[in-house]
Amino acid sequence: MAGRPGDGCNDSRETHPHWCGTCGAQRLFSTEECRLLVIVPPCPRCQSAAWKDVVDELTAPDYREAVRR
């Protein structure tokens, strides 16, 4: 799955958020962290590795519903 830290994230911002698709926790990652990590780090709250990025957030059905209102 591309877009996760350590697994295809190509966000060029110096620091940028990723959020856990399981529990919703958010964590800031640096560009170097995302590119140099060998494995996808677990979420500190729930230990899931289902990180999402800003594109996932903007295309999520619940986000689109909230924006329309």
Side-chain angles (χ1 to χ4, degrees), residues 3 14 20-21 23-24 26 28 39 42-44 48 51-52 58-59 61 63-64 67:
E14 183 66 30
C20 178
C23 73
Q26 192 173 58
L28 288 176
I39 60 167
C43 171
S48 170
W51 291 107
K52 305 293 183 182
L58 293 174
T59 59
Y63 180 83
R64 289 194 306 263
V67 171

Side-chain angles (χ1 to χ4, degrees), residues 4-62:
R4 298 184 305 180
D7 186 24
C9 175
N10 58 5
D11 194 321
S12 61
R13 295 177 288 171
E14 183 66 30
T15 58
H16 56 275
H18 284 280
W19 53 276
C20 178
T22 303
C23 73
Q26 192 173 58
R27 179 177 162 196
L28 288 176
F29 287 87
S30 71
T31 304
E32 285 188 26
E33 273 184 302
C34 280
R35 291 188 182 149
L36 298 177
L37 286 169
V38 177
I39 60 167
V40 178
C43 171
R45 186 188 298 170
C46 72
Q47 302 304 308
S48 170
W51 291 107
K52 305 293 183 182
D53 62 8
V54 69
V55 174
D56 294 321
E57 184 174 8
L58 293 174
T59 59
D62 57 340

